[in-house]
Amino acid sequence: KAGVTQTPRYLIKTRGQQVTLSCSPISGHRSVSWYQQTPGQGLQFLFEYFSETQRNKGNFPGRFSGRQFSNSRSEMNVSTLELGDSALYLCASSLEGNTIYFGEGSWLTVV
Amino acid sequence: GQQLNQSPQSMFIQEGEDVSMNCTSSSIFNTWLWYKQDPGEGPVLLIALYKAGELTSNGRLTAQFGITRKDSFLNISASIPSDVGIYFCAGQGSNYKLTFGKGTLLTVNP
C-alpha cells in the first residue's frame, strides 16, 4: 500500500511569490492534515480536511490556505511568501482523523 | 491552547542502554501517538495509544497512555545506533486536532 506522497520535495521561491504544495493520501484515507515544521517552533498544525471540508484550522494567517478534492488529494497554498515561511511542510493522512501517517514533506526555502 | 511538555529535550546514551522519555499535558487527550523522525524525512508512526492505562509494545519500544489521560511515556530497550533520531509525542483531543511535543533528540554512541 503506497504511503502519503508529497510533491514537490524541494523548492526555492522568492519573497512575495506564492507556492502550491500537493499531497496524495494513503488509499482509502479521507482525512488530510498539514503541518509546518521549523527548528524554532517545532511541528505546528495548519489545517485538516475531511471529505473536502476543512474540519480544523490552526493559528496561521490567511496567506495559508488549502483544499481537498473529491479523490481526497489535497493542496495547500501560501501566498505572498515571507522569509519566515521557509520550513518543512508535512502532509498527513488518516482514515477518520485519528491515527495519522506522514509523508516525507516538502522543503520550502524562501529567499 | 493545549500545551505538551516533552522531556528530556535531548539524550546521549551508549549502545545497549535503555531510554525513557515522556510527555505531559495540561489537557486530557483521547489518543497518544509516538513518532520518530530521521533527518530530512517525515515522522514515522511508532506506537498509537487509544485508552487510558494502555501499555503497548512494538519490538524494543514500549509506550503507555497515562491513567489521568494527561501523560504518556516511551521506553526503548537495548538501544542500537539506528535508534538515533528525534522522537515526538502527540496528543489528540476530541476535535481530531493533534498537538505535538517539541521532540527528544536521541544520540546513541556505538
Side-chain angles (χ1 to χ4, degrees):
Chain A
K1 200 174 188 180
V4 179
T5 305
Q6 290 187 245
T7 57
R9 279 282 276 151
Y10 306 93
L11 67 166
I12 300 174
K13 291 285 188 178
T14 306
R15 271 182 302 177
Q17 285 188 315
Q18 67 92 27
V19 66
T20 298
L21 308 177
S22 181
C23 173
S24 292
I26 292 171
S27 178
H29 284 192
R30 295 193 294 167
S31 167
V32 174
S33 50
W34 289 89
Y35 292 81
Q36 182 196 64
Q37 187 176 31
T38 59
Q41 298 298 319
L43 274 157
Q44 292 192 291
F45 173 75
L46 281 157
F47 28 66
E48 184 225 357
Y49 288 86
F50 183 81
S51 294
E52 301 179 67
T53 301
Q54 188 180 83
R55 185 161 67 174
N56 278 304
K57 189 176 187 306
N59 298 320
F60 278 80
R63 300 185 297 108
F64 292 81
S65 63
R67 59 179 175 168
Q68 187 180 32
F69 303 96
S70 58
N71 61 1
S72 293
R73 194 176 67 83
S74 176
E75 289 181 347
M76 68 161 281
N77 185 79
V78 188
S79 61
T80 320
L81 284 165
E82 301 175 358
L83 294 179
D85 296 333
S86 295
L88 175 64
Y89 289 87
L90 290 160
C91 170
S93 79
S94 70
L95 273 171
E96 300 285 337
N98 39 19
T99 309
I100 72 170
Y101 299 87
F102 284 92
E104 293 194 327
S106 292
W107 286 95
L108 171 65
T109 301
V110 182
V111 298
Chain B
Q2 293 171 327
Q3 298 288 326
L4 266 189
N5 294 312
Q6 184 171 351
S7 64
Q9 283 187 325
S10 62
M11 303 180 76
F12 188 93
I13 62 170
Q14 295 295 124
E15 183 177 359
E17 288 184 355
D18 296 344
V19 170
S20 185
M21 57 192 80
N22 69 85
C23 280
T24 58
S25 167
S26 56
S27 306
I28 288 173
F29 287 121
N30 294 330
T31 301
W32 281 97
L33 305 170
W34 284 92
Y35 292 87
K36 177 179 182 248
Q37 187 173 26
D38 292 327
E41 305 292 328
V44 174
L45 181 66
L46 298 173
I47 293 179
L49 303 160
Y50 302 105
K51 191 177 170 183
E54 182 181 354
L55 182 72
T56 297
S57 293
N58 178 9
R60 294 177 296 106
L61 278 59
T62 302
Q64 185 158 28
F65 193 143
I67 290 290
T68 65
R69 295 168 62 192
K70 291 185 178 182
D71 64 322
S72 178
F73 72 75
L74 175 71
N75 288 341
I76 305 173
S77 63
S79 58
I80 58 178
S82 62
D83 290 334
V84 164
I86 303 177
Y87 291 79
F88 291 98
C89 65
Q92 188 176 52
S94 57
N95 61 359
Y96 297 107
K97 207 166 163 179
L98 272 181
T99 303
F100 280 84
K102 295 285 190 189
T104 295
L105 173 62
L106 178 63
T107 304
V108 180
N109 191 32

